[in-house]
Amino acid sequence: MASAGTTAVVPEVALRSGNARTAMPMVGMGTASFPLVHEAVKDGVLSAIEVGFRHFDTASMYGTEKPLGDAVAEALRRGTLRSREDLFVTSKLWCSQNHPDLVLPSLRETLKNLQMEYVDLYLIHWPVCLKPGPPELPTRKENAVPLDLAGVWRAMEECQRLGLAKAIGVSNFTTRHLDGVLAVATVPPAVNQVELNPAWQQRTLRAYCADRGIHVAAYSPLGGQNWDGQGSAVLDSEVLAAIAKARGKTVAQVALRWIHEQGVTCIVKSYSKERLRQNLGIFDWELTDEERLKISQIPQRKVVQTSSLFSQEGEFTAVDPAELNILEE
């Protein structure tokens, strides 16, 4: 996908979702921002559009649907974007909306926020169900209730049937969770968006998804969500730093290139125009076999856990905590 203001050509992957064929750009801009500053998100998206991004990832939980929608509307007014159809927009259903009767109303609210008639991809954000209510993070353990996965997935399929979502999928699902979806699905999930980077390579999950035609997308491709404040296992990696120095690339570019070579879509967040350009500069070179081997040997550590959704106090009263585990064995 060639775009004005950049020489980058972003490859696309065809998603399988029922009878629909939707092309997803292999690099997208993430918009999760804590704390949320509306104008910062809007300006960041406008910068991303200017340098060539056409894939944007948001979620009801992030609170960034409105600034993303405002940015797209502004880009259309400015002429930096020709039409809505040139974009690929993903949003997600939050855990407190993970009820069969709330899926469609939640997507309609998302579309209102985005000022759009459809999303290209709608995901179940987590395989976790919370009591209905306003999104909050962290939430109390007592708010966790059993997930009616079959009912929720049927409602997701209805969203696609109505044309409100071109494709549907999931996020943070393990192979066990995917087994549950596939057992009831008429339309299988097109995408599973998960934490994935050189320090958490998800080999088992990637192989499972490849066998079943489910495309994998990577959030935290640079290991950016470190709840313990101990830095990033990706950006601080000596292995990646050595490869970057030898190749005249940034560590981020090496990590993103490795993810791309696995056939995985990267969802990477930056509001800096220069870093946005760099994040698209991964398609005109390749890692060597030796570099790939070194990356395959990086120690593995998962950062994002289901426990991060819940406050420390209180007890789970309606669900088995083991059922909430997203650590793939």
Side-chain angles (χ1 to χ4, degrees):
M1 179 182 291
S3 305
T6 179
T7 58
V9 176
V10 180
E12 296 178 341
V13 59
L15 302 181
R16 186 194 74 181
S17 195
N19 295 322
R21 286 284 178 177
T22 303
M24 171 195 271
M26 292 288 285
V27 173
M29 177 189 177
T31 62
S33 301
F34 305 102
L36 172 65
V37 180
H38 185 107
E39 287 303 312
V41 176
K42 179 182 175 182
D43 291 345
V45 171
L46 285 168
S47 293
I49 290 172
E50 288 172 9
V51 304
F53 276 82
R54 293 296 180 265
H55 176 181
F56 294 92
D57 183 272
T58 184
S60 60
M61 181 63 208
Y62 302 161
T64 56
E65 292 172 335
K66 286 185 177 180
L68 172 56
D70 286 348
V72 171
E74 178 66 21
L76 289 168
R77 282 193 293 269
R78 293 181 184 180
T80 50
L81 188 65
R82 289 177 301 178
S83 73
R84 158 68 180 93
E85 285 67 35
D86 289 342
L87 292 183
F88 187 100
V89 176
T90 299
S91 194
K92 310 180 193 77
L93 177 78
W94 184 241
C95 304
S96 58
Q97 302 156 325
N98 234 349
H99 302 265
D101 60 328
L102 297 183
V103 175
L104 184 56
S106 298
L107 177 52
R108 292 193 188 280
E109 182 67 20
T110 281
L111 295 175
K112 179 182 176 183
N113 291 337
L114 289 168
Q115 305 170 54
M116 295 177 186
E117 295 181 354
Y118 66 90
V119 290
D120 297 275
L121 179 63
Y122 197 45
L123 305 178
I124 298 175
H125 205 150
W126 286 79
V128 173
C129 185
L130 301 175
K131 294 176 182 176
E136 61 175 0
L137 193 67
T139 190
R140 298 192 308 275
K141 293 175 182 176
E142 307 91 81
N143 286 337
V145 294
L147 171 61
D148 177 6
L149 186 56
V152 169
W153 191 253
R154 281 194 296 270
M156 294 286 287
E157 292 178 336
E158 179 67 5
C159 291
Q160 188 192 33
R161 190 189 69 79
L162 293 171
L164 303 179
K166 299 292 187 183
I168 53 176
V170 297
S171 181
N172 295 301
F173 273 47
T174 64
T175 57
R176 174 174 60 86
H177 297 118
L178 289 169
D179 281 342
V181 175
L182 292 173
V184 300
T186 300
V187 178
V191 170
N192 186 17
Q193 186 185 121
V194 295
E195 179 187 5
L196 192 153
N197 54 60
W200 189 247
Q201 297 182 12
Q202 296 270 31
R203 296 183 186 96
T204 299
L205 182 66
R206 283 193 282 124
Y208 176 103
C209 289
D211 286 345
R212 291 158 180 81
I214 301 170
H215 183 68
V216 176
Y219 71 76
S220 287
L222 307 181
Q225 298 187 28
N226 289 281
W227 307 109
D228 60 4
Q230 297 302 308
S232 165
V234 175
L235 295 179
D236 297 338
S237 167
E238 294 181 2
V239 171
L240 298 179
I243 294 171
K245 182 177 181 181
R247 300 299 297 272
K249 306 293 181 183
T250 67
V251 172
Q253 285 175 319
V254 172
L256 295 176
R257 177 66 204 184
W258 177 85
I259 292 170
H260 177 65
E261 290 188 6
Q262 312 314 305
V264 172
T265 293
C266 305
I267 306 298
V268 58
K269 193 196 89 173
S270 176
Y271 295 159
S272 158
K273 186 173 283 190
E274 180 55 33
R275 286 197 295 272
L276 286 164
R277 285 197 182 96
Q278 291 174 356
N279 291 342
L280 292 181
I282 63 170
F283 301 115
D284 58 354
W285 58 283
E286 293 183 2
L287 295 165
T288 67
D289 288 341
E290 181 181 3
E291 289 164 345
R292 294 183 191 107
L293 177 61
K294 289 178 179 178
I295 293 173
S296 74
Q297 297 169 342
I298 290 175
Q300 298 295 288
R301 179 174 70 95
K302 180 161 180 57
V303 173
V304 181
Q305 304 281 1
T306 313
S307 58
S308 64
L309 301 179
F310 298 98
S311 52
Q312 294 301 308
E313 61 275 4
E315 298 292 338
F316 292 105
T317 57
V319 298
D320 179 353
E323 291 297 310
L324 306 179
N325 182 27
I326 61 165
L327 185 63
E328 188 72 64
E329 298 300 333

